[in-house]
């Protein structure tokens, strides 16, 4: 039930773009995205709901393909502050969220 | 509004001992979830409580248990500790635990088993 994230890690220069993918083998009700910086708690970024509703950060965009059971997080014009580990979390029919293994993003000057 | 509070921040135990971790959710939140985080494994779901009832449980052995009190505070207990239980344990809260609600995480309890 754990979603699969790709890539596992990515290194960018400031200003470059990145895409992080999340896929599930089961039908999804919603997909959540969180970012965790080293030694800190995960922080909410975005929720994508079945049916197209999105809630989240103005400067972050994401997509949710219900048929393919996939979501992608788009980070454009990356800044140093974007560095961290990104997790997607998925809900299916029950009320427990399962997280992917994470994507470590490093943004260099 | 105070955030999610987890205590203690660090714990060192030896194999065979038991441990209790505490989580105080944001005021008004009735759902509390627990996750185990280890390097490379991401966040593994342990269980979720809502209004003092366990609603969902992950794939962990019975040594891992939890409870929730009437004020929504939650505790998790690990008995007969093993070396592999060393991890960061995170709790998260939300109003109803609904699939469209964001989770608020605490800073976690870092457990080391020697």
């Amino acid at each position: 039930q754990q979603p699969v994230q790709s890539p596992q890690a990515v290194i960018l220069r400031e200003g470059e773009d990145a895409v992080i993918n999340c896929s599930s083998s089961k039908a999804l009700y919603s997909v959540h995205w969180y970012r965790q910086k080293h030694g800190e708690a995960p922080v909410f970024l975005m929720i994508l709901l079945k049916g197209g509703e999105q809630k989240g950060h103005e400067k972050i965009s994401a997509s949710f393909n219900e048929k393919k059971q996939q979501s992608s997080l788009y980070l454009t014009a990356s800044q140093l502050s974007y560095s961290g580990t990104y997790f997607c979390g998925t809900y299916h029919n029950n009320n427990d969220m399962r997280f992917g293994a994470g994507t470590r993003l490093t943004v260099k000057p | 509004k105070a955030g999610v509070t987890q205590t203690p921040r660090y714990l060192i135990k030896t194999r065979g001992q038991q441990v209790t971790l505490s989580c105080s959710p944001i005021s008004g939140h009735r759902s509390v979830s627990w996750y185990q985080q280890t390097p490379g494994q991401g966040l593994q779901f342990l269980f979720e409580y809502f209004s003092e009832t366990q609603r969902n449980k992950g794939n962990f052995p019975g040594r891992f248990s939890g409870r929730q009190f009437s004020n929504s505070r939650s505790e998790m207990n690990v008995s007969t500790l093993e070396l592999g239980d060393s991890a960061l344990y995170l709790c998260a809260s939300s109003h109803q635990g609904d699939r469209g609600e964001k989770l608020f995480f605490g800073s976690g309890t870092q457990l080391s088993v020697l």
Side-chain angles (χ1 to χ4, degrees):
Chain A
Q1 269 187 309
Q2 186 177 15
V4 176
Q5 283 187 239
S6 63
Q8 290 185 319
V10 59
I11 300 174
L12 299 173
R13 295 285 179 188
E14 267 188 298
E16 292 182 338
D17 302 337
V19 180
I20 301 172
N21 301 301
C22 175
S23 64
S24 173
S25 59
K26 295 179 66 174
L28 296 172
Y29 179 87
S30 64
V31 179
H32 294 221
W33 288 95
Y34 291 81
R35 177 174 61 211
Q36 184 179 33
K37 293 184 178 284
H38 184 69
E40 298 180 11
V43 173
F44 168 78
L45 294 175
M46 177 161 286
I47 294 174
L48 300 106
L49 296 163
K50 191 175 174 181
E53 185 181 357
Q54 294 188 6
K55 308 177 193 177
H57 204 289
E58 286 180 1
K59 294 187 177 181
I60 291 181
S61 64
S63 64
F64 180 19
N65 187 322
E66 293 175 38
K67 281 188 178 179
K68 291 187 176 180
Q69 296 156 191
Q70 294 175 345
S71 177
S72 295
L73 186 71
Y74 304 98
L75 302 168
T76 56
S78 59
Q79 304 170 18
L80 294 176
S81 62
Y82 286 12
S83 292
T85 301
Y86 289 76
F87 293 98
C88 72
T90 55
Y91 277 104
H92 305 281
N93 290 328
N94 51 7
N95 269 29
D96 61 279
M97 180 150 61
R98 305 298 173 113
F99 283 94
T103 296
R104 178 176 286 184
L105 177 73
T106 304
V107 181
K108 296 188 173 182
Chain B
K1 209 174 189 181
V4 178
T5 304
Q6 289 189 248
T7 56
R9 186 70 179 91
Y10 301 96
L11 263 179
I12 299 175
K13 293 286 186 179
T14 55
R15 277 186 305 174
Q17 287 187 310
Q18 76 164 16
V19 67
T20 299
L21 313 182
S22 179
C23 173
S24 293
I26 289 173
S27 178
H29 285 192
R30 295 164 65 191
S31 170
V32 174
S33 300
W34 287 88
Y35 293 87
Q36 181 194 65
Q37 185 174 29
T38 53
Q41 291 293 317
L43 293 94
Q44 301 291 316
F45 173 74
L46 281 154
F47 25 67
E48 186 243 355
Y49 285 87
F50 179 79
S51 292
E52 302 179 66
T53 301
Q54 186 182 88
R55 285 201 297 198
N56 295 286
K57 190 177 190 312
N59 299 323
F60 277 81
R63 300 185 296 108
F64 291 81
S65 63
R67 59 178 176 168
Q68 187 180 34
F69 301 96
S70 58
N71 61 357
S72 294
R73 189 178 71 86
S74 178
E75 289 181 347
M76 68 163 279
N77 183 276
V78 188
S79 62
T80 321
L81 283 166
E82 300 177 0
L83 295 179
D85 296 333
S86 295
L88 179 66
Y89 290 88
L90 292 163
C91 80
S93 75
S94 65
H95 283 287
Q96 305 287 338
D98 183 80
R99 294 170 289 183
E101 285 185 308
K102 63 182 179 181
L103 297 183
F104 293 83
F105 283 87
S107 297
T109 294
Q110 184 67 55
L111 173 65
S112 297
V113 182
L114 306 177

